[in-house]
Amino acid sequence: HARNSGEHEYLEAIDEVLNTLGPLMVKYPQYIEPFERLVEPERQIVFRVSWVDDYGNQVVNRGYRVQMNSALGPYKGGLRFHRDLNLSVVKSLAFEQVFKNSLTNLMIGAGKGGSDFDPNGRSDGEVMRFCQSYMTELYRYLGPETDIPAGDINVGGREIGYLFGQYKRLTNHFNGAITGKDTNWGGSNIRPEATGYGLVYFSEYYCNHHGTSLKGHKSVVSGSGNVALYTAEKLINFGSTVLTLSDSNGYILEPNGFTKKDVDFLKELKNKHDGNLQQYTAYSKTAKYFPNEKPFSVKADFAFPCAAQGEITGQEANTLVKNGVKGVFEGANLPCNNEAINFFKKNKVLFAPGKAANAGGVAVSGLEMIQNSQRQQWSKEEVEEKLHSIMKDIFDSSLKAAKDFGFNDDIQAGANISGFLKVANSMIQQGNV
Ligand code: NDP
């Protein structure tokens, strides 16, 4: 604990995993030692990012890359640009990534990174100069066999383009050292859609296993970014009524449900980089906007938190349960705190942890790496079919691990156990490094 003192987010992420791995380690003490090694990142890179804004002022941000674990392959995980980002958050996400990447079965290790830079309100030129300065330090630690970052909050196609451009300039290599690239220059089809689509596939399997379905049921979705919008799109496609979307300033209620056209409008708004969700009310006559509120007080059958970590605490969990929620499926990373998770389980609410349910994004990033190394591009249909089958395998292997180790249908426990065992066994086989 002294080593990670004050890192609340990181300690909470470890606790979440230990709650289920604890009993496993009592039974199989050989796994205590790899777990102790696993919680100490293999390498943590923290660096200054100095750049010049449009008015000639020098601005300083802090850059991070935590290379958490390479037992299964090169480090892999997204970059996040957010003003609240700190080392504790990056470590918690990198730790989560270890289990997630293992579950995909794609031979990828785990990492996470980013900066406390906030691109909102910045011009394209400022974002480009920031990305170039960030990469000027980070490039030396990256490579297709070493560490392959991708996008995350506020790091989309534009930022990936600038980061890759600078990586290429500095290394003189055009290779697959970054995923989430545009499909014109090495990106995979379906990568932007993958996390949201994968989440919906996973949730449908989970519902089916419990004799229900997303079809004909109401859903609340939070966020209005990459994950939230493609989750909403696929939910609509599956026949669920999507009632809400949100951003950091409030939420929109669409009482009769969003249509595919509404979601397309919101995608365009997001791509402009200067829109906020409230502008949607000028487009839709039926929508209501609730400033400074989260959408989880709206009555629905299923909840899909797709915005940020910690958005569902005990309080929101209480309201959701009171309103009769049947399932909570995490699209974001760590959106439910441990109090909320325990409350859902106590009340027999189906709960899918992000490390399993949102693994579709990194899975298609893994498929992008394969396509890059083969100098190939697979069709949309081919990638979506592979995504579908990976999500089914993650659900099946999590369920099997839960059953094998006495956790019945507990998908959270199963995902932790299944993800951990593969990494831990590989660490043991590779020696004490
Ligand atoms: P985006 O940047 O595309 O969208 C983030 C959305 O969440 C925006 O609507 C944003 O609103 C909102 N948001 C951000 N911070 C907060 C906050 N503190 N409170 C409320 N709303 C907030 O990011 P993504 O959609 O890519 O990522 C969303 C989540 O999904 C993250 O947890 C990410 O780690 C996770 N994830 C993403 C993957 C991917 O493939 N992109 C893969 C797996 C997980 P605003 O614009 O107002 O800030």
Side-chain angles (χ1 to χ4, degrees):
H1 268 226
R3 231 184 251 156
N4 305 310
S5 156
E7 297 185 347
H8 306 296
E9 296 84 357
Y10 186 42
L11 294 171
E12 168 118 354
I14 296 174
D15 270 354
E16 186 270 317
V17 168
L18 266 185
N19 284 341
T20 49
L21 289 188
L24 178 93
M25 286 193 258
V26 171
K27 214 163 156 195
Y28 304 98
Q30 68 268 33
Y31 289 121
I32 296 174
E33 179 277 324
F35 188 81
E36 280 173 356
R37 267 195 286 154
L38 195 153
V39 294
E40 183 63 16
E42 288 180 15
R43 188 175 296 111
Q44 304 179 56
I45 304 148
V46 182
F47 52 100
R48 180 174 68 206
V49 187
S50 179
W51 57 284
V52 177
D53 72 13
D54 284 348
Y55 308 96
N57 303 310
Q58 188 198 292
V59 188
V60 175
N61 286 105
R62 184 173 290 179
Y64 301 94
R65 184 72 181 166
V66 170
Q67 298 182 329
M68 196 75 193
N69 193 287
S70 61
L72 300 183
Y75 309 107
K76 174 105 203 82
L79 299 175
R80 174 177 296 188
F81 293 166
H82 197 278
R83 60 182 175 278
D84 297 334
L85 197 73
N86 58 43
L87 188 59
S88 168
V89 172
V90 180
K91 282 166 74 177
S92 67
L93 295 166
F95 181 68
E96 187 81 349
Q97 201 83 38
V98 174
F99 302 85
K100 184 188 310 199
N101 292 6
S102 166
L103 284 166
T104 66
N105 264 329
L106 285 171
M107 310 323 303
I108 39 183
K112 198 83 189 186
S115 172
D116 59 0
F117 169 70
D118 182 357
N120 291 303
R122 295 290 186 183
S123 68
D124 279 355
E126 289 179 317
V127 172
M128 183 179 74
R129 289 194 294 281
F130 170 81
C131 288
Q132 291 178 338
S133 182
Y134 180 88
M135 188 51 83
T136 300
E137 176 58 29
L138 194 64
Y139 84 95
R140 67 193 84 238
Y141 304 101
L142 306 183
E145 313 293 341
T146 312
D147 185 352
I148 306 99
D152 191 73
I153 292 182
N154 287 331
V155 179
R158 174 182 62 169
E159 292 75 17
I160 292 292
Y162 296 149
L163 289 163
F164 183 77
Q166 184 73 350
Y167 171 83
K168 191 181 58 167
R169 177 156 73 166
L170 291 165
T171 60
N172 206 23
H173 289 306
F174 193 117
N175 59 30
I178 298 185
T179 59
K181 301 182 289 294
D182 190 271
T183 46
N184 281 325
W185 41 274
S188 175
N189 279 308
I190 306 289
R191 176 60 190 91
E193 296 89 339
T195 308
Y197 283 14
L199 171 65
V200 176
Y201 297 145
F202 188 96
S203 310
E204 180 68 2
Y205 284 124
Y206 199 169
C207 286
N208 291 169
H209 180 71
H210 287 270
T212 182
S213 162
L214 297 168
K215 192 173 177 178
H217 288 102
K218 292 180 175 158
S219 301
V220 285
V221 178
S222 68
S224 50
N226 177 271
V227 178
L229 293 178
Y230 287 107
T231 297
E233 182 175 287
K234 205 47 145 187
L235 280 171
I236 295 166
N237 191 247
F238 270 49
S240 177
T241 305
V242 178
L243 296 175
T244 64
L245 287 164
S246 71
D247 66 8
S248 346
N249 302 313
Y251 80 89
I252 296 271
L253 171 69
E254 190 60 274
N256 302 319
F258 290 89
T259 62
K260 165 89 172 65
K261 192 166 149 257
D262 300 339
V263 175
D264 286 344
F265 171 84
L266 286 164
K267 279 188 214 159
E268 260 177 52
L269 197 67
K270 178 177 159 64
N271 283 340
K272 280 193 205 144
H273 295 293
D274 63 352
N276 69 50
L277 196 58
Q278 197 175 356
Q279 295 173 24
Y280 179 85
T281 51
Y283 155 90
S284 164
K285 287 194 182 70
T286 43
K288 289 192 192 115
Y289 182 70
F290 296 83
N292 305 318
E293 281 188 47
K294 299 180 193 175
F296 304 112
S297 56
V298 173
K299 196 171 161 46
D301 304 294
F302 300 116
F304 292 84
C306 295
Q309 74 276 7
E311 51 179 324
I312 298 188
T313 65
Q315 196 188 329
E316 286 81 20
N318 216 294
T319 311
L320 282 163
V321 170
K322 248 190 227 151
N323 281 340
V325 78
K326 294 187 187 73
V328 177
F329 310 108
E330 292 187 333
N333 285 316
L334 304 164
C336 300
N337 73 9
N338 290 344
E339 190 191 345
I341 296 172
N342 293 334
F343 191 71
F344 291 138
K345 286 186 171 180
K346 212 173 103 197
N347 287 281
K348 308 266 178 275
V349 172
L350 307 183
F351 173 74
K355 74 191 85 186
N358 74 25
V362 74
V364 173
S365 277
L367 300 180
E368 183 171 327
M369 288 162 63
I370 299 173
Q371 293 169 78
N372 289 167
S373 62
Q374 297 176 342
R375 294 268 187 268
Q376 280 192 2
Q377 189 170 54
W378 302 335
S379 69
K380 282 185 184 166
E381 293 71 25
E382 197 173 348
V383 178
E384 196 167 349
E385 198 186 309
K386 285 187 164 61
L387 169 66
H388 210 138
S389 100
I390 290 171
M391 296 316 293
K392 179 159 185 350
D393 288 349
I394 294 176
F395 179 75
D396 289 346
S397 66
S398 301
L399 186 66
K400 182 173 183 312
K403 286 194 190 306
D404 286 353
F405 289 90
F407 286 89
N408 299 320
D409 283 353
D410 184 337
I411 291 296
Q412 182 208 12
N416 283 338
I417 294 168
S418 173
F420 173 71
L421 286 180
K422 195 166 167 195
V423 175
N425 288 328
S426 306
M427 289 173 77
I428 294 168
Q429 286 160 3
Q430 290 170 28
N432 187 8
V433 290

